[in-house]
Amino acid sequence: MGTQVKDVVIKPDAPHTLLLDKHADYIAAYGSKKDDYEYTLSEYLRMSGIYWGLTVMDLMGQLSRMNREEIIEFIKSCQHDCGGISASTGHDPHLLYTLSAVQILSLYDSINAIDVDKVVDYVKGLQQEDGSFAGDKWGEIDTRFSFCAVATLALLGKLDVINMDKAVGFVLSCMNFDGGFGCRPGSESHAGQIYCCTGFLSITGQLHQVNADLLGWWLCERQLPSGGLNGRPEKLPDVCYSWWVLASLKIIGRIHWIDKAKLCSFILACQDEETGGFADRPGDVCSIFPSRWILSTLCLVWLVCLCWEMSRSNQ
């Protein structure tokens, strides 16, 4: 007797067009009501939320609706003496938010608003003897942080300050028999980690070290009959993996292995037709929690790019 695949059913009355105006209003409203419960909860990851929100608005041609000066001043207030940047004022600096801040300033062509030399020193100081990177001074090791480190340094034109051979060696030590990557050596493959590791190897010119067919097969198997993607085998589809899985496939040149039309239908069905934003999957209620808001913007970033690519292929 075969194993039943975990999946969802998309109802006939689910949204089937992209509600760009509602999503733009949804994102533009973020932060305008600083006493809201959701805004308060998002403090611990606000820098990343701002980055993804700006990216979406830029793709939709709505970047001018965001307060550029206020955002740049906020980033400046979050840089610490050590050079690292935090999620919000009063929080500890971390590589995750340092990258988000550098990406935002790059988008605004305002990288000199912060002390770049201190950022470089901060990132360099987090590399460990085995080539891995800690996320902050507390020492957690994860391949996400390897990606954040090289992405930050690449944007600043300073990749040469770290031990690149050791950095690459650590990421490759996290590659598994299925072609995927985990957060540390021996950890199971996960779509989010695969994005970070393939992104890292692409930035560092080491993408040839990946078995693209083996990894591509693992990634394309994340697509379920509903069209949605999951992050690991035997999990329900989740709209956020529309980014992590397809971005990874794009990096390794295997994006055509996914049924893009079915995926678009799945993502569109996850929209909240009243307020904008996305739920985890069709039929779920859009969560108020900020992590889901960020993942929703990831989805929208990819959907806008995906629809644009499909329109080009049909010309």
Side-chain angles (χ1 to χ4, degrees):
M1 186 174 180
T3 302
Q4 186 175 3
V5 177
K6 294 182 179 179
D7 202 0
V8 297
V9 175
I10 299 178
K11 295 181 179 179
D13 60 347
H16 59 276
T17 58
L18 184 58
L19 308 173
L20 277 180
D21 290 340
K22 286 187 178 292
H23 297 312
D25 291 343
Y26 180 73
I27 293 168
Y30 177 73
S32 63
K33 300 176 181 178
K34 292 181 170 55
D35 293 329
D36 279 5
Y37 180 57
E38 181 176 348
Y39 186 84
T40 303
L41 281 179
S42 70
E43 185 174 273
Y44 73 99
L45 42 67
R46 183 157 300 142
M47 191 68 71
S48 293
I50 293 172
Y51 166 67
W52 287 111
L54 290 176
T55 302
V56 174
M57 296 298 273
D58 190 33
L59 282 168
M60 294 189 294
Q62 300 279 338
L63 188 59
S64 61
R65 295 180 62 179
M66 310 301 279
N67 191 323
R68 180 181 186 274
E69 289 71 27
E70 182 181 358
I71 291 169
I72 292 175
E73 285 302 313
F74 171 73
I75 293 173
K76 289 167 64 176
S77 74
C78 292
Q79 185 171 31
H80 292 244
D81 290 340
C82 65
I85 299 171
S86 55
S88 191
T89 53
H91 289 244
D92 289 340
H94 196 286
L95 263 179
L96 289 169
Y97 309 117
T98 300
L99 172 58
S100 292
V102 169
Q103 288 172 315
I104 293 168
L105 294 175
S106 297
L107 181 65
Y108 278 136
D109 195 24
S110 300
I111 196 65
N112 290 325
I114 55 173
D115 190 325
V116 172
D117 291 337
K118 281 190 173 184
V119 172
V120 173
D121 289 341
Y122 175 73
V123 175
K124 179 182 177 181
L126 290 172
Q127 187 171 28
Q128 308 300 300
E129 182 60 31
D130 64 355
S132 65
F133 284 83
D136 58 14
K137 66 180 181 180
W138 304 111
E140 181 187 5
I141 304 298
D142 192 306
T143 47
R144 289 179 300 156
F145 310 146
S146 294
F147 170 75
C148 290
V150 299
T152 300
L153 294 175
L155 286 169
L156 300 177
K158 296 290 185 178
L159 275 174
D160 58 337
V161 304
I162 60 173
N163 188 323
M164 189 59 73
D165 289 340
K166 284 190 173 183
V168 171
F170 174 77
V171 170
L172 291 177
S173 74
C174 299
M175 186 188 297
N176 293 319
F177 70 93
D178 54 17
F181 293 84
C183 58
R184 290 180 293 275
S187 298
E188 71 171 314
S189 296
H190 185 279
Q193 304 297 148
I194 288 170
Y195 167 80
C196 291
C197 292
T198 55
F200 171 96
L201 294 171
S202 179
I203 291 170
T204 58
Q206 296 294 318
L207 200 56
H208 62 278
Q209 304 270 18
V210 171
N211 184 330
D213 285 344
L214 182 61
L215 176 56
W217 182 252
W218 189 93
L219 288 167
C220 76
E221 283 195 318
R222 305 281 60 78
Q223 188 164 38
L224 299 170
S226 65
L229 301 165
N230 61 22
R232 292 178 290 158
E234 300 301 320
K235 297 294 184 180
L236 284 169
D238 190 313
V239 74
C240 71
Y241 292 110
S242 303
W243 173 268
W244 305 119
V245 174
L246 264 76
S248 300
L249 285 168
K250 182 69 173 179
I251 290 171
I252 64 173
R254 299 297 186 276
I255 195 170
H256 57 287
W257 287 9
I258 285 289
D259 187 325
K260 290 187 281 188
K262 289 186 71 173
L263 177 58
C264 274
S265 295
F266 175 85
I267 298 174
L268 292 170
C270 295
Q271 296 176 104
D272 188 314
E273 295 181 278
E274 294 184 8
T275 66
F278 293 81
D280 297 1
R281 53 191 64 91
D284 284 7
V285 176
C286 287
S287 171
I288 64 169
F289 290 101
S291 59
R292 182 55 54 200
W293 179 85
I294 290 179
L295 294 176
S296 295
T297 64
L298 292 180
C299 167
L300 186 54
V301 167
W302 186 255
L303 184 56
V304 171
C305 295
L306 186 60
C307 290
W308 177 76
E309 182 176 324
M310 290 182 68
S311 67
R312 287 185 64 202
S313 65
N314 292 330
Q315 289 177 355

